[in-house]
Amino acid sequence: MMSISGILLQIRFFIIIFNNIEINGPSENNVRYQQLLNNFKAIKASDEYYGKNSDYISRKFNTEYEISLQETQRLFNELLSSPQVKEVAKLISQRLGRKLQPFDIWYDGFKSRSLISSDELDRITKTKYPNKAAFTNDLPNILIKMGFTKELAKFICDHVTLDASVGAGHAWESMMKSDNARLRTRIENDGMYYKGYNIGVHEFGHNVEQTISLHYVPNYFLRGVPNTAFTEALAFTFQSRDLELLGVSNPDEYSKYMNTLDIFWGCYEIMGVSMVDMKVWQWMYQHPDATAEQLKNAVISIAKEVWNQYFEPVFNSKDQTILAVYSHMIDAPLYLSAYPIGHLIDFQLESYLEGKNIGTEVERIFKIGRVTPSQWMKLAIGNDLSALPLLNSTTVAVEKIKEFDKQNKKSPKNK
Ligand SMILES: [Zn+2]
């Protein structure tokens, strides 16, 4: 998804790592902030050419995400200040056997790790899919296993062309009904490795969305989905079932609860970072003539302000600047919020699909087309976009994982 790079180098600061070795991070002056400022100035110069939504913040939120800045902040605030944060933090601290440190916003001990070795997974996928034709021929079966009708499975697969790419995976939609969507994933000369298969299943999820929403949305101009988060939601729905589709594992309760906590903690972190991003853009519009040095000071103080509001009560340490760390904030203006919005949509969709026939539901839901996110959610699952389902499931998951941890001392303690 995103890379955590570009540690805050503007101020001389120290990272204290586990064995208490202090590393000195030298300053790179204001290069980072000059870049951000350059982006802001370039974008702002185009403002006058827009009638409505004449600043970038409203263009991004009102036009692109179709969820206003206020609504986005309200959604994030709901999760960030929820009592569930403290419950999950306590559980993490117990699992780690120490007090939480600021970098534990990236705790990854809730990720379910497969019990099957990667060599064994490679062996299984290489045997099953020795070449491109083998994977292509199996695509309809993948859909049928997920509950799609034979007819729809055939229709979709007739409209998807597999390319054995040399790079990472990708799904390229077709803009016209007479053309096919492309599924790109890596297939080596000696067959498909697990990684290529895992990505292939994800990309195939996109192709399914692309094909249904091109061919079955009645109005061509409403084809597609509200924004990229919605197609990612279906791609993840597919990808998370990859081992089940291979017949090597079944969904289990433990992984389900772990996954809920993983999504929750990931949202807590990325929503904090997104809050900083949004506030920085508001500050830049209020101070259009700021220098890189002034911008740096503003970003650091906004990061502390967001930390003190949402993280300090949980981590018990004040004035941390870690939330300003993302390089993503520098090179992709106001993109960060798309991630947690995507996670919320994905979670609501997954919860809705639980126990239902995926094929029937996906067929119905992706025929809706490109209406607003809020309208799409109501038509798809009967509820608006909300953090509540994730919050409620988190409360249940905390209790369940506590019990699992207690009962089974061998359960992964996290590294
Ligand atoms: Zn994707």
Side-chain angles (χ1 to χ4, degrees):
M1 195 171 88
M2 69 208 71
S3 64
I4 297 156
S5 54
I7 301 285
L8 264 186
L9 294 176
Q10 294 65 36
I11 42 170
R12 291 174 76 82
F13 82 121
F14 300 98
I15 308 168
I16 300 164
I17 49 176
F18 288 109
N19 50 4
N20 291 325
I21 296 171
E22 290 187 350
I23 298 170
N24 187 1
S27 163
E28 58 165 17
N29 295 322
N30 292 331
V31 176
R32 171 187 171 86
Y33 294 100
Q34 190 56 55
Q35 200 57 45
L36 181 55
L37 208 53
N38 293 346
N39 272 344
F40 167 70
K41 288 193 170 156
I43 288 169
K44 192 175 173 298
S46 69
D47 281 358
E48 60 180 295
Y49 300 102
Y50 291 87
K52 257 187 167 183
N53 297 315
S54 64
D55 68 74
Y56 183 68
I57 302 173
S58 47
R59 284 204 290 287
K60 195 74 182 171
F61 285 90
N62 298 349
T63 314
E64 192 181 322
Y65 299 148
E66 295 181 306
I67 306 170
S68 72
L69 177 89
Q70 290 70 25
E71 176 58 13
T72 306
Q73 290 182 329
R74 193 198 59 75
L75 263 178
F76 292 2
N77 182 64
E78 194 180 357
L79 189 143
L80 285 166
S81 46
S82 68
Q84 282 83 350
V85 171
K86 281 194 175 165
E87 292 168 21
V88 179
K90 206 172 137 198
L91 179 62
I92 294 175
S93 174
Q94 276 167 8
R95 300 185 116 226
L96 291 169
R98 60 167 172 77
K99 276 167 65 179
L100 293 189
Q101 300 277 350
F103 53 75
D104 291 319
I105 56 171
W106 297 307
Y107 174 77
D108 80 340
F110 293 133
K111 297 224 181 300
S112 0
R113 292 174 168 89
S114 170
L115 296 172
I116 309 160
S117 74
S118 62
D119 286 348
E120 176 60 8
L121 286 172
D122 286 342
R123 195 197 58 76
I124 294 169
T125 52
K126 283 195 314 191
T127 310
K128 189 163 188 188
Y129 304 119
N131 49 41
K132 184 174 127 175
F135 191 57
T136 305
N137 293 337
D138 202 37
L139 290 177
N141 298 328
I142 289 179
L143 292 181
I144 290 165
K145 278 185 203 162
M146 291 177 79
F148 285 77
T149 60
K150 264 190 189 153
E151 296 69 38
L152 184 61
K154 185 178 180 324
F155 181 85
I156 291 170
C157 296
D158 284 347
H159 289 85
V160 174
T161 303
L162 178 66
D163 293 331
S165 77
V166 289
H170 192 246
W172 193 262
E173 67 183 312
S174 165
M175 302 299 280
M176 54 186 184
K177 293 180 182 173
S178 55
D179 211 349
N180 277 13
R182 318 291 292 197
L183 192 172
R184 293 178 181 136
T185 193
R186 195 178 264 260
I187 301 170
E188 307 285 347
N189 289 336
D190 60 339
M192 201 172 197
Y193 284 65
Y194 172 70
K195 193 174 171 58
Y197 165 75
N198 174 274
I199 294 172
V201 174
H202 174 101
E203 304 305 343
F204 187 43
H206 284 301
N207 295 137
V208 169
E209 173 275 301
Q210 291 160 351
T211 307
I212 295 175
S213 68
L214 170 67
H215 290 268
Y216 293 102
V217 172
N219 184 329
Y220 176 81
F221 295 100
L222 286 178
R223 74 192 183 280
V225 283
N227 60 50
T228 53
F230 291 78
T231 181
E232 288 303 338
L234 188 62
F236 285 122
T237 297
F238 271 63
Q239 192 174 10
S240 65
R241 284 164 178 77
D242 70 333
L243 293 178
E244 253 176 277
L245 290 167
L246 278 182
V248 297
S249 88
N250 289 314
D252 65 282
E253 293 272 283
Y254 181 78
S255 324
K256 189 184 103 180
Y257 296 126
M258 288 281 278
N259 189 42
T260 300
L261 296 181
D262 189 49
I263 295 168
F264 176 82
W265 197 249
C267 278
Y268 175 53
E269 176 259 340
I270 197 75
M271 283 179 181
V273 175
S274 305
M275 282 290 203
V276 173
D277 194 20
M278 289 184 263
K279 283 171 189 277
V280 166
W281 272 84
Q282 287 176 310
W283 187 92
M284 289 194 292
Y285 266 103
Q286 285 154 8
H287 303 85
D289 300 318
T291 62
E293 177 72 16
Q294 286 166 329
L295 176 58
K296 175 186 85 177
N297 293 332
V299 172
I300 291 170
S301 100
I302 289 168
K304 285 181 187 171
E305 179 197 314
V306 173
W307 177 272
N308 292 344
Q309 185 177 354
Y310 298 116
F311 294 78
E312 195 246 318
V314 178
F315 286 77
N316 293 316
S317 55
K318 226 176 146 46
D319 286 344
Q320 296 292 333
T321 55
I322 200 165
L323 298 173
V325 80
Y326 275 72
S327 293
H328 225 73
M329 193 175 108
I330 310 300
D331 69 47
L334 283 177
Y335 190 79
L336 283 171
S337 303
Y339 291 117
I341 293 173
H343 290 316
L344 292 181
I345 292 164
D346 188 22
F347 189 82
Q348 278 180 275
L349 187 66
E350 271 285 348
S351 309
Y352 172 81
L353 289 175
E354 208 179 316
K356 296 194 176 67
N357 181 314
I358 296 178
T360 319
E361 291 298 328
V362 166
E363 180 182 355
R364 178 185 68 80
I365 290 172
F366 287 87
K367 281 179 182 175
I368 295 172
R370 208 194 151 168
V371 294
T372 63
S374 165
Q375 182 64 9
W376 193 94
M377 291 299 279
K378 285 178 197 154
L379 292 170
I381 66 166
N383 278 308
D384 206 341
L385 177 63
S386 163
L388 257 186
L390 177 57
L391 293 178
N392 293 338
S393 301
T394 298
T395 303
V396 177
V398 168
E399 288 311 311
K400 294 285 182 187
I401 295 298
K402 262 195 222 160
E403 277 169 35
F404 276 119
D405 281 359
K406 227 186 262 169
Q407 276 166 18
N408 182 7
K409 296 228 164 82
K410 280 183 219 146
S411 75
K413 246 223 132 183
N414 184 45
K415 340 33 274 178

